[in-house]
C-alpha cells in the first residue's frame, strides 16, 4: 500500500516525501508544478536512493485523480496541494477558493470511492487570525484574515463534516507556523517563483545579490527589538511531524488537530543576525512601515503534538539559517 502525497514536489511536500521514503514507505506523488519544478523529483530520488511513482496532474481533474487511485493501492493521503500566498489570495480570491476547496472536494470524493479513509491535511496557523495572547493553543478562537486562511479553515470544517458522516475516517490536521530551512544536502529547499512572500527566501536572495536589501516591516511593535516575532520551524522537523501524524491516523479514527511549531518566538532581526553569524555574510536591511494585518507576536504552544504524537522540533535557528543558505548557494 502507498501514501499519496499531493503537492509532493513543493517545499514541504518534497521534504516530507524524502522522510517517508527514508523510513520505508511507498509513496505516489501528484503535482501540477504550479509552484514547483520537475527537477525536485530527481533530487528526492538522489537523496533517498529510492524510486516512486509520479503523476503530473491537477487535483481538480477528477479523471486524473480517479486514474491514480485505480492504478495504485492508496492507504492514506498527505494533502499539501494548494495555493499558499496570503497576499496573492487577497488579489485572487476566486482562484484560491476554486483551487484549494474544490480540489480538496474532488480528492475526498475519489478517496471515498476507493475506500481510502486516512488523510493528513496541511493547514496553517493563520486560521487563528490575530491571537490576543501567546503561545497559541489549538483550542483558541479561529478568525481568518485572508482568503488563503479562510480556504484552510473551510477545508478543516469539511474534513470534520466528512468524519461526522463516516466515522471510519482518520483525519489529522496540522497547523504550521513558519517553516524555513532546507534539507542538509542542499538539494531541496524553498525556491519560490517571483518575489518571495516569506522572510527567509528574501534574506537568502539578498545574501545572493539577487535583491538589494531586505525590507523590515515596522520596528515599533511591543517586542524586545520592535520587530515582529514569529515561530520559525525547520522544514525537516515539520516533515517528521507528518510521519507522526500518519502513525496517529493508522492507530485511531476521528479528527485530531495539532500545532507544529517550536514554541519559541524569534524576531525578524533575530533571524537576520543569526543568518549573518552562522553564514558570515552581511544582510543589508531597511526599516519600512508596518504591513496591514501583521501582528506583533505569534508563536505556538506545541505541547499537544508532544503529548499525543510524540513529536518535538529539535533543530535550532542556527541550523535553519545555515541550511537555508547552503541550499541557496547550491541552486543559484
Amino acid at each position: 500500500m502507498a501514501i499519496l502525497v499531493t503537492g509532493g514536489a513543493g517545499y514541504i511536500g518534497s521534504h516530507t516525501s524524502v522522510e517517508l521514503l527514508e523510513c520505508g514507505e511507498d509513496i505516489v506523488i501528484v503535482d501540477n508544478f504550479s509552484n514547483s519544478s520537475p527537477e525536485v523529483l530527481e533530487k528526492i530520488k538522489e537523496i533517498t536512493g529510492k524510486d516512486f511513482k509520479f503523476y503530473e496532474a491537477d487535483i481538480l481533474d477528477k479523471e486524473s485523480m480517479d486514474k491514480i487511485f485505480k492504478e495504485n493501492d492508496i492507504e492514506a493521503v498527505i494533502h499539501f496541494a494548494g495555493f499558499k500566498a496570503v497576499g496573492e489570495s487577497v488579489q485572487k480570491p476566486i482562484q484560491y477558493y476554486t483551487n484549494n476547496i474544490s480540489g480538496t472536494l474532488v480528492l475526498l470524493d475519489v478517496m471515498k470511492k476507493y475506500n481510502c479513509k486516512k488523510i493528513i491535511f496541511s493547514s496553517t496557523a493563520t486560521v487563528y487570525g490575530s491571537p490576543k495572547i501567546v503561545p497559541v493553543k489549538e483550542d483558541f478562537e479561529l478568525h481568518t484574515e485572508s482568503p488563503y486562511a479562510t480556504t484552510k479553515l473551510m477545508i478543516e470544517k469539511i474534513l470534520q463534516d466528512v468524519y461526522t458522516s463516516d466515522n471510519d475516517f482518520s483525519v489529522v490536521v496540522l497547523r504550521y507556523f513558519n517553516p524555513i530551512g532546507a534539507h542538509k544536502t542542499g538539494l531541496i529547499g524553498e525556491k519560490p517563483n517571483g518575489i518571495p512572500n516569506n522572510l527567509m527566501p528574501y534574506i537568502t536572495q539578498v545574501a545572493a545579490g539577487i535583491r538589494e536589501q531586505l525590507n523590515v516591516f515596522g520596528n515599533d511593535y511591543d517586542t524586545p527589538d520592535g520587530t515582529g516575532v514569529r515561530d520559525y520551524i525547520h522544514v525537516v522537523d515539520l516533515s517528521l511531524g507528518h510521519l507522526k501524524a500518519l502513525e496517529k491516523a493508522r492507530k485511531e479514527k476521528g479528527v485530531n488537530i495539532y500545532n507544529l511549531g517550536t514554541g519559541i518566538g524569534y524576531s525578524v532581526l533575530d533571524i537576520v543576525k543569526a543568518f549573518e553569524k552562522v553564514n558570515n555574510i552581511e544582510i543589508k536591511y531597511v526599516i519600512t512601515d508596518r504591513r496591514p494585518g501583521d501582528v506583533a507576536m505569534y508563536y505556538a504552544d506545541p505541547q499537544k503534538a508532544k503529548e499525543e504524537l510524540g513529536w518535538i522540533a529539535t533543530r535550532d535557528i542556527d541550523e535553519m539559517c545555515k541550511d537555508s543558505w547552503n541550499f541557496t548557494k547550491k541552486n543559484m
Side-chain angles (χ1 to χ4, degrees), residues 230-242:
R230 297 291 182 269
D231 188 334
Y232 296 93
I233 176 172
H234 198 294
V235 67
V236 173
D237 279 331
L238 189 70
S239 298
L240 292 168
H242 294 75

Side-chain angles (χ1 to χ4, degrees), residues 125 133-138 175-179 229-234 237-238 258-267 297-306 311-317 320:
I133 56 171
V134 288
V136 178
K137 298 185 179 184
E138 287 87 350
R175 292 174 180 162
Y176 308 160
F177 279 69
N178 293 66
V229 169
R230 297 291 182 269
D231 188 334
Y232 296 93
I233 176 172
H234 198 294
D237 279 331
L238 189 70
Y258 302 99
N259 288 334
L260 293 188
T262 64
I264 302 168
Y266 291 100
S267 75
M297 196 172 292
Y298 204 96
Y299 57 91
D301 180 339
Q303 190 63 26
K304 187 182 177 190
K306 180 181 179 182
W311 173 88
I312 54 169
T314 61
R315 291 159 180 79
D316 64 15
I317 200 67
M320 298 182 212

Side-chain angles (χ1 to χ4, degrees), residues 7-185:
Y11 176 42
I12 303 168
S14 61
H15 286 83
T16 302
S17 294
V18 164
E19 299 304 325
L20 286 164
L21 289 166
E22 292 198 326
C23 74
E25 298 285 354
D26 289 326
I27 67 170
V28 176
I29 292 178
V30 57
D31 204 299
N32 67 356
F33 300 127
S34 66
N35 194 33
S36 58
S37 167
E39 68 186 23
V40 170
L41 302 172
E42 296 308 313
K43 291 180 177 180
I44 293 171
K45 293 174 186 175
E46 185 178 343
I47 292 168
T48 63
K50 295 181 179 179
D51 202 359
F52 52 86
K53 288 183 80 171
F54 169 73
Y55 293 83
E56 183 174 355
D58 193 312
I59 61 168
L60 281 161
D61 182 349
K62 194 165 186 175
E63 283 186 17
S64 293
M65 297 308 296
D66 193 82
K67 180 175 186 284
I68 292 167
F69 276 80
K70 187 179 291 183
E71 293 179 356
N72 301 277
D73 188 6
I74 304 296
E75 176 199 0
V77 176
I78 303 182
H79 182 29
F80 295 104
F83 294 157
K84 63 174 188 172
V86 171
E88 183 184 60
S89 77
V90 176
Q91 303 300 320
K92 301 177 178 178
I94 295 170
Q95 287 94 321
Y96 269 70
Y97 285 111
T98 301
N99 185 76
N100 293 6
I101 296 171
S102 297
T104 302
L105 290 171
V106 169
L107 174 65
L108 287 166
D109 197 28
V110 177
M111 285 177 66
K112 285 218 33 145
K113 178 180 175 181
Y114 288 89
N115 202 38
C116 174
K117 297 184 178 181
K118 298 181 185 75
I119 183 167
I120 290 93
F121 174 56
S122 166
S123 192
T124 170
T126 58
V127 297
Y128 297 113
S130 302
K132 296 179 176 65
I133 56 171
V134 288
V136 178
K137 298 185 179 184
E138 287 87 350
D139 61 0
F140 276 22
E141 180 183 354
L142 304 177
H143 175 71
T144 61
E145 297 177 352
S146 71
Y148 162 72
T150 303
T151 66
K152 291 293 189 180
L153 183 56
M154 289 178 76
I155 293 167
E156 286 193 18
K157 292 183 181 299
I158 288 165
L159 290 168
Q160 288 167 341
D161 288 341
V162 166
Y163 170 72
T164 300
S165 74
D166 183 347
N167 292 162
D168 283 333
F169 264 85
S170 301
V171 176
V172 183
V173 172
L174 301 176
R175 292 174 180 162
Y176 308 160
F177 279 69
N178 293 66
I180 59 174
H183 194 268
K184 62 181 180 291
T185 60

